[in-house]
């Protein structure tokens, strides 16, 4: 099971950290992927964090590089998506996924 | 890599067959192409990975095929629960890309 949390209403320019909590399996062995979906739009890849066996390093969508950061706390079995300098166009439902398992998503609304 | 799905919308009746296309702007190596189904208010559901392998629990009326730059998702004998939006996804060591989606609607 994957559960995202941390979404909500945030002002433009502010930061927000989303969490993805895993249960029933060990997070660190797997790559975790973040995907977002703006209202009424398609799926957009945000980034991913490789599993430990592949170095645990991140990759990001080119358009988001520098503003978004993915990390993981293996002791808590939680992955994070840290978002900086948020823009209105970052408004979306944010999903985390591991292999074929997806969370229910958490809505981030960037608005003044 | 840009993925272009066609058609944008497909109107069919239950019991009919559906063919959805996904064309890539570059060759997708190792068949790293997946298909997802998404229903309103739900997270995407993995149907096919590796271009042609069905994910766990996916009915055999769903099949994937293709290689290189052209891939197809085929759904035989549409069931009412199959009407949804379908996305193709390319994945490799450094990036993931999604197509814009095909909406499969009831005629």
């Amino acid at each position: 099971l994957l559960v995202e949390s941390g979404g909500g209403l945030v002002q433009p320019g502010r930061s927000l950290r989303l969490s993805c909590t895993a249960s029933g399996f060990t997070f660190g062995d797997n790559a975790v992927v973040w995907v977002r979906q703006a209202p009424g739009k398609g799926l957009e890849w945000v980034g991913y964090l490789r599993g430990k066996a592949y170095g645990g390093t991140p990759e990001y969508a080119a358009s988001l590089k520098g503003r978004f950061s993915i990390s993981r706390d293996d002791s808590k079995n939680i992955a994070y998506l840290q978002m900086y300098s948020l823009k209105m166009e970052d408004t979306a439902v944010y999903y985390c996924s591991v292999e074929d398992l997806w969370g229910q998503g958490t809505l981030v609304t960037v608005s003044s | 890599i840009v993925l272009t799905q066609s058609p944008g919308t497909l109107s069919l009746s239950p019991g009919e067959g559906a063919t959805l296309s996904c064309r890539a702007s570059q060759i997708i190596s190792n068949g790293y192409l997946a298909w997802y189904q998404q229903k309103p208010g739900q997270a995407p559901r993995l149907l096919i990975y590796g271009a042609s392998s069905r994910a766990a629990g996916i009915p055999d009326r769903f099949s994937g095929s293709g290689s290189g730059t052209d891939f197809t998702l085929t759904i035989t004998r549409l069931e009412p629960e199959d009407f949804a939006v379908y996305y193709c996804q390319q994945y490799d060591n450094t990036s993931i890309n999604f197509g814009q989606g095909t909406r499969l609607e009831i005629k």
Side-chain angles (χ1 to χ4, degrees), chain A residues 33 37 41-43 45 48 50 59 95 100 102-103, chain B residues 36 38 42-44 46 87 92-96 98:
Chain A
V33 180
Q37 187 169 37
K41 302 298 183 181
L43 302 172
W45 174 60
Y48 65 70
R50 294 180 177 86
E59 297 287 347
Y95 297 100
D100 60 344
W102 288 63
Chain B
Y36 288 84
Q38 188 180 32
Q42 296 184 17
L46 178 66
Y87 295 94
D92 61 27
N93 288 335
T94 59
S95 68
I96 292 174
F98 288 96

Side-chain angles (χ1 to χ4, degrees), chain A residues 68-105:
Chain A
F68 286 25
S69 176
I70 300 173
S71 61
R72 184 172 54 218
D73 185 335
D74 291 338
S75 67
K76 296 180 180 178
N77 228 19
I78 300 176
Y80 301 102
L81 176 64
Q82 178 71 53
M83 303 182 290
Y84 302 98
S85 302
L86 282 163
K87 307 175 182 180
M88 293 181 66
E89 52 264 39
D90 294 320
T91 294
V93 174
Y94 286 74
Y95 297 100
C96 64
S97 72
V98 175
E99 305 247 342
D100 60 344
L101 187 61
W102 288 63
Q104 84 290 348

Side-chain angles (χ1 to χ4, degrees), chain B residues 7 9-13 16 78 83 103-107:
Chain B
T9 301
L10 188 56
S11 299
L12 294 169
S13 301
E16 293 189 292
L78 283 165
F83 292 90
R103 180 177 303 277
L104 178 57
E105 63 178 26
I106 298 177
K107 187 173 182 180

Side-chain angles (χ1 to χ4, degrees), chain A residues 30-41:
Chain A
N30 301 279
V32 58
V33 180
W34 286 93
V35 172
R36 70 182 183 180
Q37 187 169 37
K41 302 298 183 181

Side-chain angles (χ1 to χ4, degrees), chain B residues 45-65:
Chain B
R45 174 194 182 195
L46 178 66
L47 301 174
I48 301 288
Y49 64 94
S52 61
S53 298
R54 267 188 302 276
I58 302 303
D60 60 7
R61 63 179 182 274
F62 291 91
S63 64
S65 62

